[in-house]
Amino acid sequence: MTPAAGIDYWSIVTRSLRIIWKHKFLWFFGFFAAGSSGSSFRWVEDAGPRLRDFFFANPAVLVLVIVGLVIVWLVMFVMNLISTGALVAATHEASQGRRVTFGYGWREGLKAFWRLLGVVVLAIVAFLFVTAVCAIPIVLALFGGDSGIVIAIVIGAILFFPYLAFLFLLAFTVTYAEREVVLGRAGVFDAIHTGWGMTKRHVWRSLLVWLIMLGSGLVFGIGLVLVLLILAVPFILIGLANVFAALVLGIPIGVIVVVVASGAFGSYAYSVWTLIYDELKRIDGASGAPAEGPAGAGGPPAAWGEVDASGA
């Protein structure tokens, strides 16, 4: 296949698939990095009032539930950051033909943890600030009665595409900044600076990769649904005789399949973006683009601290 704009995208996709298939321990990190961002809960109509009445009668249970959920969220968040560093480091090393292990990935994730946290915090601040700037005039317009509603709609229509562009640019900047933190050993602000520079120079390539990942996600989703439907057949037959037995056997197997598949796809996605990062750095080097951050220009020491795995 002929490389488009200096990058063979198909080769990157196939290389990523080979990497995650050869190093299946990456699926563990992939689940936490891409599959632990949150969950949605669907309540039946009468579940809400019943739970409300139960918690009003048992406030101590409500407190325990809240504390438990917070602890679970914190654990998942910490694992998300560690797994991000682990996946970036391990897939990069594997793409170079070097031997990688679970322990190597874990150590690299720990080393980059605080700086990755810094990148996430800055990204959240930027997101909230721009969202507030866009939302305030719309909210204020809504207080103007019927004419205000029309004005709010007009403002929302005008801001929609710039805001959407901002979300894409922020996502690409964070994606490259994470890799600069892990692979370039950059500090938070240097990594954001480098990530923004790469985004500006390669915005169309980044959008193409996003479309590739969107297509990959659709293929993954369709494949997962088909696998689950095939696996459901024997349990449906069992359910004709005993519904309880079918649920007890079928639900755990379905959950395991979804978890494993999510981990595999998460590791694949991180591998693709890491290989793209490597390619874009190569293109920048070949084109003479100015090096940014401590990795290329002897910039300031890493910000937000750097945890060494040996001392963590």
Side-chain angles (χ1 to χ4, degrees):
M1 181 178 179
T2 302
I7 298 178
D8 189 341
Y9 294 93
W10 178 249
S11 173
I12 285 179
V13 168
T14 55
R15 286 167 60 198
S16 297
L17 291 172
R18 286 196 297 269
I19 287 172
I20 68 166
W21 185 254
K22 182 179 179 181
H23 306 89
K24 296 182 181 63
F25 68 85
L26 294 174
W27 300 7
F28 172 85
F29 295 121
F31 170 75
F32 287 103
S36 61
S37 56
S39 302
S40 60
F41 298 91
R42 181 181 177 184
W43 302 94
V44 294
E45 290 185 3
D46 60 344
R50 290 180 181 179
L51 285 173
R52 180 194 60 200
D53 294 340
F54 173 79
F55 286 132
F56 276 148
N58 302 274
V61 176
L62 176 60
V63 172
L64 288 176
V65 169
I66 293 175
V67 171
L69 290 175
V70 170
I71 291 174
V72 170
W73 182 86
L74 286 174
V75 170
M76 298 295 277
F77 181 72
V78 169
M79 286 300 301
N80 178 279
L81 293 177
I82 294 174
S83 297
T84 294
L87 283 170
V88 171
T91 54
H92 171 78
E93 290 296 297
S95 71
Q96 305 300 313
R98 303 188 184 102
R99 180 176 177 271
V100 291
T101 63
F102 180 92
Y104 169 80
W106 183 263
R107 290 191 297 273
E108 292 300 306
L110 287 177
K111 287 180 182 179
F113 175 83
W114 290 107
R115 287 169 292 134
L116 287 173
L117 176 61
V119 169
V120 170
V121 170
L122 288 183
I124 292 174
V125 170
F127 169 77
L128 293 177
F129 175 77
V130 173
T131 300
V133 169
C134 293
I136 287 174
I138 296 176
V139 173
L140 292 178
L142 291 174
F143 288 100
D146 294 338
S147 60
I149 294 176
V150 175
I151 295 173
I153 293 174
V154 172
I155 295 175
I158 293 173
L159 293 178
F160 176 76
F161 286 106
Y163 183 70
L164 185 63
F166 159 74
L167 293 180
F168 273 101
L169 294 175
L170 178 64
F172 295 150
T173 298
V174 171
T175 296
Y176 298 134
E178 289 173 340
R179 281 143 186 85
E180 189 67 15
V181 160
V182 178
L183 302 178
R185 308 296 184 185
V188 175
F189 296 103
D190 290 311
I192 293 290
H193 177 64
T194 299
W196 172 237
M198 294 180 69
T199 298
K200 289 189 296 182
R201 290 190 297 273
H202 307 289
V203 63
W204 297 113
R205 291 186 176 105
S206 301
L207 282 170
L208 179 55
V209 177
W210 180 83
L211 288 173
I212 291 172
M213 295 309 304
L214 178 63
S216 298
L218 290 174
V219 172
F220 163 77
I222 293 172
L224 179 58
V225 169
L226 291 176
V227 169
L228 290 174
L229 288 175
I230 293 172
L231 289 175
V233 171
F235 298 106
I236 292 175
L237 296 176
I238 294 174
L240 296 176
N242 190 318
V243 175
F244 179 76
L247 292 176
V248 169
L249 295 173
I251 290 178
I253 292 178
V255 170
I256 291 172
V257 170
V258 171
V259 168
V260 172
S262 298
F265 184 78
S267 59
Y268 160 75
Y270 270 78
S271 178
V272 168
W273 280 107
T274 299
L275 296 186
I276 286 294
Y277 166 87
D278 289 338
E279 286 295 303
L280 296 182
K281 295 288 280 190
R282 175 186 62 80
I283 291 173
D284 286 344
S287 64
E292 299 166 288
W304 291 69
E306 180 173 348
V307 178
D308 186 272
S310 62

